[in-house]
Amino acid sequence: MEAKIALAGNPNSGKTTVFNALTGGRGHVGNWPGVTVEKKDGAVKGHPGIIIEDLPGIYSLSPYTPEEIVSRGYLINEKPDVIINIVDASNLERNLYLTTQLAEIGIPMVIALNMTDVVEKTGDVIDYGKLSEELGAPVFGICAVNGRDLRLALLADKAIEMKGKNPPKAEGCFSEKTEAALRKIMDLAAKAGIAESPRFYAVKLFERDKEIKLSLPPEVSEEIEKIIQACEKELDDDSESIITVERYDRIAEIMKKCVKLNDAGGLSASDKIDRVVTHRVLALPIFALVMFFVYFVSISAVGAWLTDWVNDSLFGEIIPGAVSGFLASVNTAEWLNSLILDGIVAGVGAVLGFLPQMFVLFFCLAALEDCGYMARIAFIMDRIFRKFGLSGKSFIPMLVGTGCGVPGIMASRTIESPADRRMTITTTTFMPCSAKLPIIALISGAFFGDSALVPSSAYFLGVASIIISGVALKQTRLFAGEASPFIMELPAYHMPRIGGALRVAGERAVSFAKRAGTFITLATVIVWFLSGYGFDLKPAEVDSSILAFIGRGAAPLFRPAGFGSWQAVVASITGLMAKENVVGTMGVLYPGDSLASAMTPRAAYAFLVFNLLCAPCVAAMSAIAKEMNSKKWTAFAIGYQCAFAYAAAVIVYRLGAIFGGGI
Ligand code: GDP
Ligand code: MG
C-alpha cells in the first residue's frame, strides 16, 4: 500500500517529534516556533510505501510568511492522501483555528491531540469522543515525547486506514446566512469548473483572499461579488472578519461541549516560575546569570578540565610522541615529519582539543531549550526588542544560530516583513556559533586563565551587537517600518530530557569532529605549506614565508585594534573558510605556548571580538546569499558585518586602554 500523509499543525505543537517517532528519523526538534522551515519527508516505520511529510508550522491557511506559503501550497496543490493534524492539546482553543480550516480542504484527516501529559497536569479533561463527533474526524490523544506511547502506532495505523475515506465535516461551521452564501458560491465555482476542495475555495473567495488565483470568468466573479456584498450588508461586517469571528464562535462552542476545565483555579507551577523568570526587572539579570553559569560549567569547569587533558596530554605529548616515534621508526623525510607534526597534529589538534568544552556547552544549551527556558528568553527579548521597534521574531534565528549560523539564517523565514527579515539575516551570525567556540575558548584559556567571563561576554556581545545594529538600521530608510507581530505560547516547563540533550550535543560533536578531520585538516596543510615555504617553493623561515607576505600586506589595517601581527591577520582570513581555522592556523603559527606572549590580553580580546562579528564562514555566507536572493543585499550584509566587527574591535581595544591594560 502506498500513501502520502502530511503532518500539519501550529508551530511548536510537536509535529517534528511525531514525525521522528513515526519514521524513526532525526529531524531537529526545537522548543520554539519556526524550527522546521522546509518540509521534510520519511517513510513510516514498518510501512515503506507510506510517506510522511513534516510541514512547517502554521497558525492558519491565510499565508503571510514564506513557511505558511510552503505548507498551504503543499496541502492545496500536492494533495496528500491524508492529513494528520497535530494539535497542542494544552492550547486547544487556539489550535482549533487551524483545524477548522484544514477540514475545509476536503482531505481525510486524523486529529492527534498531542501534549496530553501537560493537559493531565493541569487537571482539564478533554472528551475525545465528543470532539471527534463535533469535528467529524477520528481523534487520538498522544504524548509524542514518550517514545513508548502505544497510541502513536495506533495513530499511524488509523491515518493509513483513512486513505480514500470521508474528509472531516466542514459544513455548519458558520452562521446559516454565511453558509447559504458559501453554498451559492460553491455552485457558481463548480459550474466554472472548480472541482477540487470546493469548500476551501468558496471560503477563500468569500474572504476575497488575493493569494488565491483562480481563473474564473469575469461574469462569475461579478456574481460572487454580489453574493458577498449582500451577505456583508446583512451581517453588517466585512466578509473576512465575518469568517474569522464566526470561526471563533464555532470553536468556543466546541470547547464548551468537549472540554471540562479544572475549576480549582490557582497558578500552575509553570506560572509560578514564570512570575520570577519573566519578571520585568529580574528577567535579564537571571538570564545573564544562567548564561554565565552555562559558560562557567562548559568552558571553565568541566569542559576546561577535560580540554586541558586533551590539549596538554593527548595532543601535547601522547599523540605527538607516538607519531614522532612512529615517523622515526619508518624513517620518513624531514618535510613529511614537519607536515604531520607541525601541520596536521598541531593544527587539527588545536581544534579538536575544544571538543569536550563544546560537547558540554551544547548539552547545557539543549537542556535549557528543552525544559522551556529558551522560549521564555524569546518572550523577554521580544519585550526588549519591541521598545526599539524590532520584532522578537528576530531572536529565534539568533537562538538557532548559537548552534550553527546556517539554520539560524534559514530560520529568518518566519519573519514576514522583508525589511525585518533582511535585517535578521544580516545580524544573526553575530551570535557565537559552535565553530567560533574554539576561538573563544582559546583566547579565554591563553590570556584570561579560563575565566568564564570571557565566553559569556562573547554571548552577550552577540546579543548586544544584534540590538545595536537593529536600532541603528531601523533608523535608515531601507529598514524602517513596523515590527512584525510575534505570537508564541510558552510551553509548560518540564525536566530536561537528558537523552535528547545528549543526542543534540553528540550530533554537534560528531559533525565538528568530521569537519576537523576533513576540511580543517586540508586547511591546516595549506597553512603549514604557505608558512614554511617562500615564493621560490623552497623551505623558508616563517618570517619570509608566503603567508607572512600576505599577512603583512593587511596587518597595518588592524593595528588600531591592537592585533596587527601578520599571524593574527592570516588566522582571521582562514577563518572565512571555517571559523575553526582561526584556531587551527594559530596552532600552526604559534607552536607550543608561544601564543600567550604574542599579544597583550587587550589585543587578544579585540582579536576575539573581530573574529566573532566579522563575515561568517563561506557556508553561512552562501546561506545569506540564498536567503537574500539578491547580490546587492548579500554584499550589503557581508560588508556591514565586517565594518561593524572592525569598529567594535577598535572600540574595545581603545576602551581597554582607558580602563587600564586588562579587560
Ligand atoms: P514542531 O514545531 O511542531 O515541529 O514541534 P517540535 O516537535 O519541535 O516540538 C516542540 C516542543 O514540544 C519540543 O520541546 C518537544 O520536546 C515538545 N513536545 C512535543 N511533544 C510533546 C508532548 O507530547 N509532551 C510534552 N510535554 N512536550 C512535547
Ligand atoms: Mg518542527
Side-chain angles (χ1 to χ4, degrees):
M1 162 124 177
E2 289 193 356
K4 267 196 310 189
I5 299 179
L7 291 183
N10 284 22
N12 228 11
S13 58
K15 293 174 301 302
T16 303
T17 311
V18 173
F19 176 82
N20 289 347
L22 295 184
T23 60
R26 294 193 154 187
H28 183 75
V29 174
N31 205 351
W32 52 70
V35 170
T36 311
V37 284
E38 281 178 334
K39 59 192 175 62
K40 171 171 180 180
D41 57 23
V44 179
K45 273 187 284 187
H47 300 272
I50 311 286
I51 303 297
I52 294 201
E53 195 91 34
D54 182 18
L55 298 178
I58 48 179
Y59 288 112
S60 86
L61 288 180
S62 308
Y64 297 109
T65 68
E67 82 230 16
E68 287 176 352
I69 293 170
V70 169
S71 291
R72 168 159 116 174
Y74 181 82
L75 292 171
I76 304 299
N77 303 327
E78 287 180 47
K79 292 259 167 201
D81 296 307
V82 180
I83 297 174
I84 299 184
N85 175 210
I86 308 289
V87 167
D88 173 356
S90 63
N91 263 305
L92 187 59
E93 188 156 4
R94 177 108 92 83
N95 279 242
L96 285 178
Y97 190 71
L98 177 68
T99 305
T100 56
Q101 289 185 302
L102 290 173
E104 285 160 3
I105 301 177
I107 295 175
M109 181 155 94
V110 182
I111 293 161
L113 292 184
N114 191 27
M115 317 251 180
T116 48
D117 53 326
V118 180
V119 178
E120 267 161 37
K121 273 188 212 131
T122 63
D124 296 350
V125 181
I126 301 174
D127 183 338
Y128 298 157
K130 257 272 166 41
L131 191 59
S132 169
E133 208 174 284
E134 291 295 320
L135 297 169
V139 170
F140 282 82
I142 57 170
C143 173
V145 281
N146 175 1
R148 277 180 305 234
D149 188 346
L150 293 174
R151 294 171 298 181
L152 280 165
L154 293 179
L155 170 69
D157 290 341
K158 188 72 193 176
I160 296 168
E161 190 192 309
M162 286 299 284
K163 181 179 173 179
K165 296 271 166 58
N166 283 339
K169 181 178 88 187
E171 294 74 33
C173 181
F174 307 112
S175 70
E176 198 30 60
K177 284 180 183 130
T178 312
E179 290 285 344
L182 288 176
R183 272 195 301 272
K184 280 188 230 155
I185 295 175
M186 251 191 290
D187 282 344
L188 285 171
K191 276 187 208 127
I194 298 195
E196 291 190 344
S197 304
R199 188 172 166 93
F200 172 78
Y201 284 117
V203 173
K204 289 294 148 194
L205 286 169
F206 185 81
E207 289 178 311
R208 302 196 183 91
D209 188 323
K210 298 215 173 31
E211 295 284 327
I212 293 288
K213 293 182 183 69
L214 290 173
S215 39
L216 291 175
E219 65 275 11
V220 176
S221 298
E222 259 166 51
E223 209 161 328
I224 291 179
E225 183 56 34
K226 269 189 215 136
I227 298 172
I228 302 174
Q229 281 175 7
C231 192
E232 282 178 324
K233 203 157 162 213
E234 212 170 340
L235 295 174
D236 192 26
D237 204 347
D238 69 273
S239 68
E240 203 181 336
S241 55
I242 292 176
I243 292 290
T244 312
V245 169
E246 292 186 356
R247 206 186 282 288
Y248 276 123
D249 289 347
R250 167 73 182 138
I251 292 167
E253 185 190 319
I254 297 176
M255 290 296 288
K256 218 160 125 199
K257 284 188 187 159
C258 307
V259 182
K260 218 173 108 229
L261 291 173
N262 169 23
D263 43 17
L267 289 176
S268 70
S270 263
D271 291 337
K272 280 186 202 142
I273 300 176
D274 276 343
R275 283 218 159 164
V276 181
V277 165
T278 63
H279 186 268
R280 292 210 163 262
V281 183
L282 295 177
L284 271 190
I286 292 177
F287 179 43
L289 264 179
V290 168
M291 288 320 283
F292 177 81
F293 182 73
V294 163
Y295 277 99
F296 174 77
V297 169
S298 47
I299 307 284
S300 304
V302 188
W305 172 68
L306 282 168
T307 296
D308 280 349
W309 179 80
V310 172
N311 274 340
D312 296 347
S313 304
L314 195 63
F315 285 102
E317 290 158 20
I318 301 175
I319 292 185
V323 172
S324 64
F326 171 77
L327 293 174
S329 73
V330 292
N331 214 351
T332 44
E334 184 75 21
W335 68 269
L336 187 59
N337 282 348
S338 164
L339 165 64
I340 295 176
L341 283 172
D342 307 334
I344 298 176
V345 173
V348 177
V351 175
L352 274 186
F354 295 107
L355 197 61
Q357 285 170 321
M358 192 159 97
F359 183 85
V360 179
L361 176 66
F362 280 102
F363 175 79
C364 295
L365 290 180
L368 273 187
E369 180 194 328
D370 188 50
C371 75
Y373 182 66
M374 283 303 188
R376 270 70 186 179
I377 297 308
F379 174 76
I380 297 165
M381 285 296 161
D382 185 50
R383 217 159 55 194
I384 298 170
F385 277 26
R386 209 153 278 287
K387 288 209 181 95
F388 299 111
L390 309 175
S391 164
K393 273 198 174 172
S394 306
F395 191 70
I396 286 162
M398 293 166 49
L399 285 177
V400 177
T402 51
C404 170
V406 173
I409 291 162
M410 279 169 51
S412 65
R413 287 185 202 172
T414 50
I415 301 167
E416 49 262 41
S417 132
D420 282 1
R421 190 157 67 229
R422 282 191 207 108
M423 190 171 77
T424 306
I425 295 170
T426 307
T427 55
T428 293
T429 54
F430 284 156
M431 291 308 283
C433 68
S434 61
K436 288 176 187 164
L437 190 75
I439 317 178
I440 300 170
L442 175 78
I443 300 296
S444 140
F447 297 94
F448 299 97
D450 269 329
S451 153
L453 276 175
V454 173
S456 44
S457 74
Y459 188 88
F460 286 101
L461 176 76
V463 177
S465 301
I466 290 174
I467 298 185
I468 293 169
S469 300
V471 173
L473 292 176
K474 270 273 169 193
Q475 306 303 316
T476 67
R477 205 156 39 86
L478 292 174
F479 292 95
E482 280 283 299
S484 308
F486 176 53
I487 19 167
M488 73 178 286
E489 55 265 14
L490 297 177
Y493 286 103
H494 58 75
M495 285 307 281
R497 280 171 285 268
I498 304 300
L502 279 177
R503 210 191 73 204
V504 173
E507 276 167 9
R508 290 241 176 270
V510 168
S511 82
F512 183 77
K514 266 195 203 144
R515 281 159 59 88
T518 52
F519 203 56
I520 310 296
T521 306
L522 185 68
T524 50
V525 168
I526 296 173
V527 169
W528 167 84
F529 174 76
L530 294 178
S531 68
Y533 290 76
F535 280 102
D536 52 5
L537 298 187
K538 296 223 174 72
E541 283 299 309
V542 157
D543 275 334
S544 45
S545 65
I546 303 177
L547 208 55
F549 179 80
I550 300 173
R552 276 203 197 97
L557 196 62
F558 292 93
R559 230 154 263 157
F563 58 95
S565 77
W566 68 264
Q567 289 93 334
V569 172
V570 165
S572 304
I573 296 172
T574 58
L576 296 179
M577 294 304 295
K579 289 289 165 185
E580 297 97 327
N581 274 338
V582 174
V583 169
T585 306
M586 296 293 239
V588 175
L589 298 182
Y590 291 114
D593 288 333
S594 60
L595 174 63
S597 48
M599 301 185 216
T600 62
R602 181 154 71 93
Y605 194 79
F607 173 74
L608 176 65
V609 168
F610 181 78
N611 275 289
L612 289 178
L613 302 179
C614 76
C617 64
V618 275
M621 283 192 270
S622 63
I624 292 177
K626 189 167 156 233
E627 295 301 318
M628 289 286 196
N629 203 5
S630 139
K631 287 206 183 72
K632 195 185 80 193
W633 281 110
T634 309
F636 169 83
I638 292 169
Y640 177 80
Q641 290 160 348
C642 293
F644 187 88
Y646 185 78
V650 173
I651 291 171
V652 162
Y653 185 67
R654 299 286 141 182
L655 283 183
I658 296 170
F659 295 117
I663 289 295

